[in-house]
Amino acid sequence: MHNKTLNALSQRGTVIQQSENAAIEYEVDWAALLDTDTIATSTWTAEDQGTIANESNTTTSAKATLSADVGYARFTNKITTAMGDTDERQITLVVKANAYPISDYCD
């Protein structure tokens, strides 16, 4: 499985291209923003036709496997820290149709 790690400090809204039928694990690394605080809860939400699976988090990062139909889908990871602060980051997937060269169908 592929894994992509995004740094919450430098990436507020990220646009990523992904192939149709791909389900890729994305991780948001919150460590640089937390200082001595920790993640108490993490939730992922999807807009459009996005699908979320395998959500998990540690005290400094949040992960989920994201997929979508052809087009685009926006996902949001929202955390609440042990000190009660909240923050969120967005990932927008631009999903391209799987394309095969015409030569694959010719004898």
Side-chain angles (χ1 to χ4, degrees):
M1 174 183 279
H2 294 91
N3 178 303
K4 297 191 182 216
T5 300
L6 308 171
N7 183 319
L9 181 62
S10 61
Q11 296 174 304
R12 283 198 150 300
T14 301
V15 178
I16 298 172
Q17 287 190 6
Q18 183 167 305
S19 296
E20 178 184 22
N21 302 320
I24 297 177
E25 181 180 79
Y26 291 89
E27 177 178 11
V28 179
D29 181 356
W30 292 91
L33 292 176
L34 293 170
D35 195 24
T36 60
D37 205 355
T38 59
I39 297 173
T41 63
S42 169
T43 57
W44 289 84
T45 56
E47 297 176 24
D48 308 307
Q49 74 276 4
T51 302
I52 301 166
N54 306 319
E55 293 180 59
S56 66
N57 67 275
T58 67
T59 57
T60 60
S61 69
K63 293 181 184 181
T65 301
L66 309 180
S67 60
D69 293 333
V70 173
Y72 70 93
R74 176 173 289 161
F75 299 87
T76 301
N77 174 228
K78 181 177 182 178
I79 63 162
T80 302
T81 70
M83 293 181 184
D85 295 327
T86 60
D87 204 345
E88 61 185 41
R89 293 294 181 270
Q90 287 79 36
I91 298 171
T92 300
L93 295 184
V94 178
V95 181
K96 305 282 185 168
N98 292 333
Y100 300 97
I102 192 76
S103 60
D104 287 354
Y105 299 100
C106 299
D107 294 335

mmCIF file of all heavy atoms in Angstrom, residues 1 3 5 9 12 20-21 24 29-30 35 45-46 48 56 60 72-73 76 79 92 96-99 103-104:
data_model
loop_
_atom_site.group_PDB
_atom_site.id
_atom_site.type_symbol
_atom_site.label_atom_id
_atom_site.label_comp_id
_atom_site.label_asym_id
_atom_site.label_seq_id
_atom_site.Cartn_x
_atom_site.Cartn_y
_atom_site.Cartn_z
ATOM 1 N N MET A 1 0.846 -1.181 0.000
ATOM 2 C CA MET A 1 0.000 0.000 0.000
ATOM 3 C C MET A 1 0.887 1.240 0.000
ATOM 4 O O MET A 1 1.916 1.284 0.647
ATOM 5 C CB MET A 1 -0.906 -0.010 1.228
ATOM 6 C CG MET A 1 -1.714 1.263 1.349
ATOM 7 S SD MET A 1 -2.722 1.339 2.825
ATOM 8 C CE MET A 1 -4.079 0.355 2.278
ATOM 9 N N ASN A 3 1.760 5.141 0.927
ATOM 10 C CA ASN A 3 1.518 6.027 2.054
ATOM 11 C C ASN A 3 2.082 7.393 1.705
ATOM 12 O O ASN A 3 3.205 7.491 1.228
ATOM 13 C CB ASN A 3 2.196 5.477 3.313
ATOM 14 C CG ASN A 3 2.011 6.400 4.507
ATOM 15 O OD1 ASN A 3 2.377 7.565 4.461
ATOM 16 N ND2 ASN A 3 1.470 5.872 5.567
ATOM 17 N N THR A 5 2.713 11.191 3.430
ATOM 18 C CA THR A 5 2.690 11.972 4.663
ATOM 19 C C THR A 5 2.695 13.452 4.313
ATOM 20 O O THR A 5 3.508 13.908 3.511
ATOM 21 C CB THR A 5 3.905 11.639 5.552
ATOM 22 O OG1 THR A 5 3.860 10.242 5.866
ATOM 23 C CG2 THR A 5 3.881 12.441 6.833
ATOM 24 N N LEU A 9 2.069 21.754 9.280
ATOM 25 C CA LEU A 9 2.612 23.105 9.415
ATOM 26 C C LEU A 9 2.670 23.820 8.071
ATOM 27 O O LEU A 9 2.319 24.983 7.953
ATOM 28 C CB LEU A 9 4.002 23.061 10.054
ATOM 29 C CG LEU A 9 4.697 24.402 10.285
ATOM 30 C CD1 LEU A 9 3.892 25.261 11.251
ATOM 31 C CD2 LEU A 9 6.108 24.179 10.823
ATOM 32 N N ARG A 12 -1.745 23.590 4.329
ATOM 33 C CA ARG A 12 -3.111 23.837 4.801
ATOM 34 C C ARG A 12 -4.141 23.203 3.875
ATOM 35 O O ARG A 12 -5.103 22.634 4.303
ATOM 36 C CB ARG A 12 -3.366 25.330 4.911
ATOM 37 C CG ARG A 12 -2.733 25.937 6.140
ATOM 38 C CD ARG A 12 -3.370 27.262 6.419
ATOM 39 N NE ARG A 12 -3.417 27.674 7.789
ATOM 40 C CZ ARG A 12 -4.007 27.071 8.798
ATOM 41 N NH1 ARG A 12 -4.592 25.939 8.632
ATOM 42 N NH2 ARG A 12 -4.015 27.584 10.005
ATOM 43 N N GLU A 20 -7.865 6.385 -10.666
ATOM 44 C CA GLU A 20 -9.135 5.724 -10.408
ATOM 45 C C GLU A 20 -8.863 4.352 -9.788
ATOM 46 O O GLU A 20 -7.882 3.695 -10.124
ATOM 47 C CB GLU A 20 -9.870 5.569 -11.738
ATOM 48 C CG GLU A 20 -11.180 4.864 -11.678
ATOM 49 C CD GLU A 20 -11.762 4.683 -13.069
ATOM 50 O OE1 GLU A 20 -11.030 4.709 -14.070
ATOM 51 O OE2 GLU A 20 -12.978 4.493 -13.140
ATOM 52 N N ASN A 21 -9.671 3.930 -8.874
ATOM 53 C CA ASN A 21 -9.566 2.643 -8.183
ATOM 54 C C ASN A 21 -8.398 2.562 -7.208
ATOM 55 O O ASN A 21 -8.147 1.510 -6.634
ATOM 56 C CB ASN A 21 -9.479 1.466 -9.168
ATOM 57 C CG ASN A 21 -10.675 1.410 -10.087
ATOM 58 O OD1 ASN A 21 -11.796 1.643 -9.662
ATOM 59 N ND2 ASN A 21 -10.440 1.128 -11.346
ATOM 60 N N ILE A 24 -5.289 5.050 -1.204
ATOM 61 C CA ILE A 24 -3.962 5.384 -0.682
ATOM 62 C C ILE A 24 -4.087 5.907 0.737
ATOM 63 O O ILE A 24 -4.981 6.698 1.040
ATOM 64 C CB ILE A 24 -3.268 6.415 -1.593
ATOM 65 C CG1 ILE A 24 -3.059 5.804 -2.983
ATOM 66 C CG2 ILE A 24 -1.948 6.881 -0.988
ATOM 67 C CD1 ILE A 24 -2.464 6.730 -3.995
ATOM 68 N N ASP A 29 0.849 14.856 9.565
ATOM 69 C CA ASP A 29 1.783 14.945 10.693
ATOM 70 C C ASP A 29 1.591 16.299 11.367
ATOM 71 O O ASP A 29 1.946 17.340 10.815
ATOM 72 C CB ASP A 29 3.214 14.786 10.194
ATOM 73 C CG ASP A 29 4.246 14.839 11.302
ATOM 74 O OD1 ASP A 29 3.879 15.082 12.464
ATOM 75 O OD2 ASP A 29 5.435 14.636 10.998
ATOM 76 N N TRP A 30 1.024 16.286 12.568
ATOM 77 C CA TRP A 30 0.702 17.500 13.314
ATOM 78 C C TRP A 30 1.791 17.888 14.303
ATOM 79 O O TRP A 30 1.665 18.898 15.008
ATOM 80 C CB TRP A 30 -0.611 17.297 14.073
ATOM 81 C CG TRP A 30 -1.806 17.184 13.193
ATOM 82 C CD1 TRP A 30 -2.343 16.041 12.679
ATOM 83 C CD2 TRP A 30 -2.622 18.252 12.720
ATOM 84 N NE1 TRP A 30 -3.445 16.332 11.914
ATOM 85 C CE2 TRP A 30 -3.642 17.687 11.930
ATOM 86 C CE3 TRP A 30 -2.597 19.634 12.884
ATOM 87 C CZ2 TRP A 30 -4.619 18.455 11.312
ATOM 88 C CZ3 TRP A 30 -3.568 20.393 12.274
ATOM 89 C CH2 TRP A 30 -4.568 19.804 11.491
ATOM 90 N N ASP A 35 3.599 21.347 19.680
ATOM 91 C CA ASP A 35 4.533 21.701 20.764
ATOM 92 C C ASP A 35 4.467 20.599 21.814
ATOM 93 O O ASP A 35 4.809 19.466 21.521
ATOM 94 C CB ASP A 35 4.222 23.093 21.315
ATOM 95 C CG ASP A 35 5.364 23.647 22.163
ATOM 96 O OD1 ASP A 35 6.518 23.222 21.971
ATOM 97 O OD2 ASP A 35 5.079 24.501 23.011
ATOM 98 N N THR A 45 -13.643 13.646 7.347
ATOM 99 C CA THR A 45 -14.915 13.776 6.645
ATOM 100 C C THR A 45 -14.632 13.903 5.156
ATOM 101 O O THR A 45 -13.549 14.342 4.749
ATOM 102 C CB THR A 45 -15.718 15.003 7.126
ATOM 103 O OG1 THR A 45 -14.912 16.178 6.984
ATOM 104 C CG2 THR A 45 -16.148 14.835 8.574
ATOM 105 N N ALA A 46 -15.623 13.516 4.344
ATOM 106 C CA ALA A 46 -15.480 13.561 2.890
ATOM 107 C C ALA A 46 -16.623 14.348 2.282
ATOM 108 O O ALA A 46 -17.768 14.225 2.713
ATOM 109 C CB ALA A 46 -15.464 12.154 2.310
ATOM 110 N N ASP A 48 -18.331 15.404 -1.631
ATOM 111 C CA ASP A 48 -18.473 14.854 -2.972
ATOM 112 C C ASP A 48 -18.546 13.328 -2.871
ATOM 113 O O ASP A 48 -19.217 12.806 -2.015
ATOM 114 C CB ASP A 48 -17.353 15.362 -3.887
ATOM 115 C CG ASP A 48 -17.256 16.893 -3.857
ATOM 116 O OD1 ASP A 48 -18.278 17.549 -4.090
ATOM 117 O OD2 ASP A 48 -16.170 17.409 -3.548
ATOM 118 N N SER A 56 -7.118 6.219 11.808
ATOM 119 C CA SER A 56 -6.395 5.999 13.060
ATOM 120 C C SER A 56 -5.589 7.251 13.384
ATOM 121 O O SER A 56 -5.413 8.119 12.541
ATOM 122 C CB SER A 56 -5.460 4.794 12.960
ATOM 123 O OG SER A 56 -4.416 5.042 12.037
ATOM 124 N N THR A 60 0.499 12.422 17.687
ATOM 125 C CA THR A 60 1.051 13.485 16.835
ATOM 126 C C THR A 60 0.646 13.411 15.368
ATOM 127 O O THR A 60 0.996 14.297 14.592
ATOM 128 C CB THR A 60 2.589 13.479 16.899
ATOM 129 O OG1 THR A 60 3.069 12.212 16.445
ATOM 130 C CG2 THR A 60 3.100 13.770 18.300
ATOM 131 N N TYR A 72 -13.299 14.809 -8.562
ATOM 132 C CA TYR A 72 -12.551 15.299 -7.417
ATOM 133 C C TYR A 72 -13.346 15.049 -6.142
ATOM 134 O O TYR A 72 -14.563 14.877 -6.162
ATOM 135 C CB TYR A 72 -12.210 16.782 -7.549
ATOM 136 C CG TYR A 72 -13.404 17.693 -7.422
ATOM 137 C CD1 TYR A 72 -13.756 18.229 -6.188
ATOM 138 C CD2 TYR A 72 -14.199 17.993 -8.516
ATOM 139 C CE1 TYR A 72 -14.859 19.052 -6.057
ATOM 140 C CE2 TYR A 72 -15.302 18.810 -8.391
ATOM 141 C CZ TYR A 72 -15.625 19.337 -7.165
ATOM 142 O OH TYR A 72 -16.728 20.131 -7.027
ATOM 143 N N ALA A 73 -12.618 15.004 -5.039
ATOM 144 C CA ALA A 73 -13.245 14.852 -3.724
ATOM 145 C C ALA A 73 -12.376 15.581 -2.716
ATOM 146 O O ALA A 73 -11.146 15.553 -2.802
ATOM 147 C CB ALA A 73 -13.382 13.389 -3.343
ATOM 148 N N THR A 76 -11.361 16.287 4.839
ATOM 149 C CA THR A 76 -10.905 17.147 5.921
ATOM 150 C C THR A 76 -10.524 16.285 7.113
ATOM 151 O O THR A 76 -11.279 15.392 7.504
ATOM 152 C CB THR A 76 -12.006 18.142 6.346
ATOM 153 O OG1 THR A 76 -12.355 18.940 5.214
ATOM 154 C CG2 THR A 76 -11.527 19.044 7.477
ATOM 155 N N ILE A 79 -8.648 17.759 14.088
ATOM 156 C CA ILE A 79 -8.174 17.224 15.362
ATOM 157 C C ILE A 79 -8.626 18.107 16.515
ATOM 158 O O ILE A 79 -8.853 19.309 16.342
ATOM 159 C CB ILE A 79 -6.634 17.089 15.411
ATOM 160 C CG1 ILE A 79 -5.949 18.458 15.294
ATOM 161 C CG2 ILE A 79 -6.140 16.100 14.358
ATOM 162 C CD1 ILE A 79 -4.503 18.472 15.755
ATOM 163 N N THR A 92 -7.517 17.607 -1.253
ATOM 164 C CA THR A 92 -8.397 17.471 -2.402
ATOM 165 C C THR A 92 -7.760 16.484 -3.358
ATOM 166 O O THR A 92 -6.611 16.676 -3.784
ATOM 167 C CB THR A 92 -8.624 18.817 -3.111
ATOM 168 O OG1 THR A 92 -9.209 19.725 -2.180
ATOM 169 C CG2 THR A 92 -9.545 18.656 -4.310
ATOM 170 N N LYS A 96 -8.112 10.729 -11.756
ATOM 171 C CA LYS A 96 -8.076 10.534 -13.207
ATOM 172 C C LYS A 96 -8.519 9.123 -13.554
ATOM 173 O O LYS A 96 -8.213 8.177 -12.835
ATOM 174 C CB LYS A 96 -6.646 10.747 -13.732
ATOM 175 C CG LYS A 96 -6.030 12.075 -13.369
ATOM 176 C CD LYS A 96 -6.568 13.155 -14.249
ATOM 177 C CE LYS A 96 -5.843 14.462 -13.930
ATOM 178 N NZ LYS A 96 -6.095 15.474 -14.883
ATOM 179 N N ALA A 97 -9.221 8.989 -14.670
ATOM 180 C CA ALA A 97 -9.641 7.666 -15.134
ATOM 181 C C ALA A 97 -8.416 6.853 -15.508
ATOM 182 O O ALA A 97 -7.440 7.386 -16.039
ATOM 183 C CB ALA A 97 -10.567 7.803 -16.342
ATOM 184 N N ASN A 98 -8.481 5.569 -15.204
ATOM 185 C CA ASN A 98 -7.405 4.677 -15.628
ATOM 186 C C ASN A 98 -7.444 4.608 -17.147
ATOM 187 O O ASN A 98 -8.475 4.298 -17.736
ATOM 188 C CB ASN A 98 -7.582 3.275 -15.043
ATOM 189 C CG ASN A 98 -7.379 3.267 -13.545
ATOM 190 O OD1 ASN A 98 -6.668 4.109 -13.011
ATOM 191 N ND2 ASN A 98 -7.999 2.327 -12.882
ATOM 192 N N ALA A 99 -6.346 4.905 -17.785
ATOM 193 C CA ALA A 99 -6.289 4.929 -19.239
ATOM 194 C C ALA A 99 -5.280 3.895 -19.726
ATOM 195 O O ALA A 99 -4.214 3.736 -19.143
ATOM 196 C CB ALA A 99 -5.895 6.311 -19.737
ATOM 197 N N SER A 103 -2.610 0.624 -28.093
ATOM 198 C CA SER A 103 -1.840 -0.544 -28.512
ATOM 199 C C SER A 103 -2.152 -1.762 -27.639
ATOM 200 O O SER A 103 -1.957 -2.903 -28.057
ATOM 201 C CB SER A 103 -0.342 -0.258 -28.475
ATOM 202 O OG SER A 103 0.052 0.081 -27.157
ATOM 203 N N ASP A 104 -2.664 -1.570 -26.441
ATOM 204 C CA ASP A 104 -3.021 -2.697 -25.580
ATOM 205 C C ASP A 104 -4.201 -3.475 -26.143
ATOM 206 O O ASP A 104 -4.436 -4.612 -25.761
ATOM 207 C CB ASP A 104 -3.390 -2.197 -24.164
ATOM 208 C CG ASP A 104 -2.174 -1.738 -23.389
ATOM 209 O OD1 ASP A 104 -1.041 -1.912 -23.883
ATOM 210 O OD2 ASP A 104 -2.364 -1.192 -22.287
#
